[in-house]
Structure formats: structure tokens, C-alpha cells
Amino acid sequence: MFPILPAEHPYRSAIMDEVHARPVEIVPQTCRLRRLVVVMPARPGAMMDVFRRFEAFCAERGVGVPAASTRQHSFDTATRHVTWEFHTEFVTVSWRTGLDDQINLPDDLGLEALSDGLLIGAMRIDVISDRTIPDRLLPGFNLASLCLADIETGNGQVATDFVPDADQFTRFELAAGNLTELRRSIICRRLLEVETYRTMALLGLPLARSASPELRVIENELTALMEGLSEAVTLPAVQAALSQLHALLVRSGQLAERLDYRFAASHAYGDVLRMRLAGLRESGTTRGSTLTHYIGNRVDPGLATCRAMEKRLNVVSGKIERAIAMLDVRIGVDMQVQNAAVLDRIAATARSQFLLQRTVEGLSTIAISYYLLGIISYAMAGPLGWLHWDKTMTLSIAAPFVVLVVWLMARAVRRSHTPETLK
């Protein structure tokens, strides 16, 4: 009897497919690679709209329609090999031709599917069969930003200056004469990804710079408000300060909402960029900087600016929240003091009412006793005369007992009105 495997995890297929989601494409010994990086609008369904337009393009050209879960799709035209890659927020279109190809933007790539996107990067890699970069190619680079480094532990060389040409393409020269076919293909992919993730990593820098003045205004307003809190001694003044703090918290929250995703993406792209640079296994030459050193000196400060902006936002939000909590406590204490004063007044009023009630009860006892004795004097006038008793003496003897009876009756009535009795 054969053992039965457990039920398959619902994510197993996706995990297995991830290994082959973007396979390395084998490149010939000499060729010209170009890539465009297009950022899509930050709206729901934007990437799906691009994919549907790309599907329509493939169907129209008869080059094979990609599957719904495809993240990399390649096809061949008459003169070039084209590869589309779909990422979270951007699309790359890469194509490979001969070294003599001078057409930077051919019309058979399907770029019309990216009509609502924005170009963020463009690069060109010339793969040559030399073992090192020939001197005849170096004058085409800007000497001030020239990067010329050995890669793959000295088995190849790469040169670039990161300066876009007239068609806005950044040019790379790759001497891959000593590299195997697979290593040459891997290095080409890594160079394409280095430039792709370099531009994407710095996409948050302009946003950080543009948001800095707005954050500075919030910081200044918060500082002025915090300095004036000591003068807010009345409840209306405290409530006004609290309203201003809430307004600042909303503004800082809106600013963070605009920046958080972009900064998180920039940090993620920066991490990928460092891994791709490490995969080149560079060593320096005497004629130029390494890509790792040059890019690190430019990209790392930009990412540090984004981190500093994040830290400032967090600090401002924390200060505002602490100030709001402090004012809430102060308002709570003031309310407790007011409530205590109200309760004291209520207690004093209740005591006054109690004393007044006792006074009224005493006077009522005397008054009722007086009238009751008057009634008794009239009622007992006949019997007292018949018995020859002295009327005045009799009433004097009866007066204490009448007062006692009236007081007991008033006390019984008061007890019948207590909360325990009324329940």
C-alpha cells in the first residue's frame, strides 16, 4: 500500500512558481540590450489595465498571449527579442538586438499599452566580446562620473557614467569575453536590474524634498503652540489649544499617508539594489570608480534623506499625541475639580435643607401641640367642670404628653419618607 500525501497547501503552487517567475534569458556573445522602466498610476486596477492592453497587443500581433498570472513574457519580432516584466508598481520593457541597431524606440514593442504610465528609467547595454573595455570606447563617457570596474572576480569589465544620452538612455559597456554564456546572461540581467532599482529607489527623494517645507511649517506651529501651553490656564484656552493640536495631528497624518508607501518602497528597492550590486562581484580599476561605490555615494544619501523625513514625521506625531494626552489629562483634572466643587455645593445645600427641615419640624410640633391643646381644652371643658377639676392645672399636666405624642407622630412620618421605605 502506497502512502498518501497530505493535502497540498494552497500557496504551494505560487511558491514553486516564484522560483521561475522571472527566468534569466540567454544572451549571445555580442548584442545590444535596451530597457524602459515605466511607473504606472497609483490607482486601483492600473496594472490590470496595462496587462489587458498588452494581451490585446499580443493577440493582434500573433505572438502568444500571456497567462493571467504571468509576470514575465517574451516574444520575438522580425529583428528583436522583447521581454515584458510586470512588477508591483512599474513595468519594464526590454529588447535585444545586434550591436549595429540604432533604433532606440521601435514601434513593435507594444508600448502603446503603457500610454497612461510615466517613464522613470531607460538604459542600454552593449555586450562586446572583448575581455576588457577597449580604450576607444572610453571617450564616449563623462570622465567625472566614469565607472570602470572588473566584475566576476576579474573575468569581465563594465563601464558607464550614468549620464543619459540624447534619447535619455543611460549607456553601459560590458566586456564579457571571459564569461561563460550563463554568467554573461546573469550579469546582463543584474546590470539591467541595477539601473532599474537605482531609479526606483530614488523615486522617494523628490517627494521627501517637496514635503520638507510643509513638515517644517507643522514643526514650527507645534513649537509655538507648546511654548504657549503654560499660559493656557482656563478651560476655554485649553480646549482651543487642544483643537489646534488635533488640526496639526490631522495634517501630519495626511502628510505621512502620502509618504509612507513611497518611502517603504524606496527602502525595499534600495535593499534589492545592494544585493544586485553585490552579485556583480566588483573590484576597482585605476581608471574609474566601481558601480557599488559610485551608486552608494549617490543613492545612500537619498535614502538617508527619506529615513530622516520618516523620523521627523514620527517625532512630530509623537509630540502632538503626547501634548494631546497631557491636555486631556489637564481637562480631566479641571473637570474633576469642578465636579468636586459642584458636589460640595450640593452637599452644603442638602445640609441647609436638612437643618431647615429639623427647624420646621420643631416649630410644627410646637404649633400642632398648641392647637391640639386648644382643642382638648374645649373638648374637656364640660367634663372638667362636672368633675370639679381645675382646667388650667389639667392642661398643664397634659401639655408634655401632647407634645411628646405630636413629636413621635412627626418622627414616624419622617421615617416613612426615607429612601429605604420608599423602595
Side-chain angles (χ1 to χ4, degrees):
M1 182 177 180
F2 295 101
I4 300 177
L5 289 175
E8 187 173 289
H9 194 283
Y11 295 154
R12 182 174 185 269
S13 179
I15 293 172
M16 298 300 294
D17 292 341
E18 182 65 24
V19 180
H20 307 286
R22 294 189 175 94
V24 175
E25 296 186 341
I26 303 301
V27 300
Q29 189 173 12
T30 60
C31 64
R32 175 165 289 172
L33 300 170
R34 292 184 177 89
R35 168 174 283 191
L36 300 178
V37 183
V38 181
V39 178
M40 305 314 300
R43 57 175 174 80
M47 194 62 69
M48 291 303 301
D49 293 340
V50 173
F51 193 82
R52 283 192 290 267
R53 291 195 292 266
F54 179 61
E55 283 182 319
F57 164 79
C58 291
E60 180 183 351
R61 293 298 181 96
V63 294
V65 178
S69 59
T70 298
R71 285 184 288 167
Q72 177 173 312
H73 184 70
S74 301
F75 58 90
D76 292 312
T77 67
T79 58
R80 59 187 55 86
H81 178 78
V82 185
T83 300
W84 278 57
E85 292 185 40
F86 298 90
H87 298 260
T88 303
E89 59 176 341
F90 66 93
V91 177
T92 64
V93 182
S94 310
W95 63 98
R96 185 176 71 243
T97 60
L99 282 174
D100 57 347
D101 178 48
Q102 300 299 322
I103 303 176
N104 280 329
L105 291 175
D107 58 1
D108 56 354
L109 304 178
L111 296 180
E112 56 272 14
L114 301 171
S115 56
D116 56 349
L118 297 174
L119 181 69
I120 191 65
M123 63 215 71
R124 188 191 89 191
I125 301 177
D126 288 346
V127 183
I128 57 178
S129 58
D130 298 75
R131 297 184 177 183
T132 59
I133 302 297
D135 291 339
R136 57 183 171 81
L137 297 178
L138 295 182
F141 292 107
N142 181 11
L143 182 60
S145 59
L146 176 63
C147 295
L148 180 60
D150 293 330
I151 57 174
E152 286 290 293
T153 61
N155 288 320
Q157 270 192 350
V158 62
T160 185
D161 57 2
F162 294 101
V163 177
D165 60 17
D167 291 327
Q168 300 304 310
F169 280 78
T170 302
R171 172 188 163 210
F172 288 78
E173 292 288 341
L174 173 62
N178 271 357
L179 299 177
T180 64
E181 186 178 46
L182 179 59
R183 295 308 302 172
R184 179 174 64 243
S185 303
I186 292 174
I187 292 300
C188 286
R189 183 174 185 86
R190 284 177 178 166
L191 288 175
L192 289 173
E193 290 181 340
V194 162
E195 183 64 4
T196 298
Y197 290 111
R198 180 185 71 86
T199 54
M200 292 302 299
L202 290 178
L203 195 57
L205 181 58
L207 191 60
R209 289 172 175 169
S210 64
S212 183
E214 183 178 355
L215 181 57
R216 170 54 61 187
V217 171
I218 295 176
E219 290 171 336
N220 291 338
E221 291 182 8
L222 178 60
T223 300
L225 185 58
M226 294 294 291
E227 291 176 352
L229 283 182
S230 59
E231 301 176 1
V233 295
T234 63
L235 183 59
V238 173
Q239 290 177 337
L242 188 60
S243 298
Q244 293 176 350
L245 285 172
H246 278 294
L248 287 179
L249 185 60
V250 170
R251 287 165 56 188
S252 65
Q254 291 172 341
L255 186 59
E257 187 68 22
R258 298 203 310 266
L259 300 179
D260 284 349
Y261 174 79
R262 184 72 273 147
F263 287 168
S266 292
H267 297 323
Y269 293 138
D271 292 339
V272 177
L273 173 61
R274 295 183 189 95
M275 289 189 292
R276 297 299 183 267
L277 287 170
L280 295 176
R281 293 187 288 182
E282 288 183 286
S283 57
T285 65
T286 59
R287 295 187 294 174
S289 174
T290 63
L291 272 69
T292 301
H293 181 74
Y294 185 86
I295 292 177
N297 287 341
R298 275 74 180 172
V299 174
D300 288 346
L303 295 179
T305 300
C306 295
R307 282 192 294 270
M309 178 65 69
E310 285 182 296
K311 184 177 180 179
R312 287 173 61 191
L313 266 174
N314 292 333
V315 169
V316 167
S317 299
K319 287 182 178 180
I320 295 174
E321 290 173 356
R322 287 192 296 271
I324 290 175
M326 180 182 66
L327 289 181
D328 285 338
V329 170
R330 182 170 180 177
I331 291 176
V333 172
D334 291 342
M335 293 297 294
Q336 289 179 358
V337 172
Q338 291 181 357
N339 291 338
V342 171
L343 291 175
D344 289 342
R345 288 196 296 270
I346 292 175
T349 302
R351 179 172 178 81
S352 298
Q353 291 178 345
F354 175 75
L355 295 176
L356 179 61
Q357 180 183 356
R358 287 297 180 89
T359 302
V360 171
E361 287 179 359
L363 295 175
S364 299
T365 301
I366 295 172
I368 293 172
S369 300
Y370 173 78
Y371 287 111
L372 185 57
L373 285 173
I375 294 173
I376 292 174
S377 67
Y378 284 111
M380 299 299 293
L384 290 175
W386 182 71
L387 293 173
H388 303 288
W389 289 2
D390 185 64
K391 179 180 178 181
T392 302
M393 182 59 70
T394 303
L395 292 177
S396 298
I397 295 172
F401 296 100
V402 170
V403 173
L404 178 61
V405 170
V406 172
W407 179 79
L408 291 174
M409 291 176 60
R411 183 181 180 187
V413 172
R414 185 175 70 250
R415 286 185 174 181
S416 67
H417 292 166
T418 58
E420 291 78 6
T421 307
L422 295 175
K423 288 182 180 179

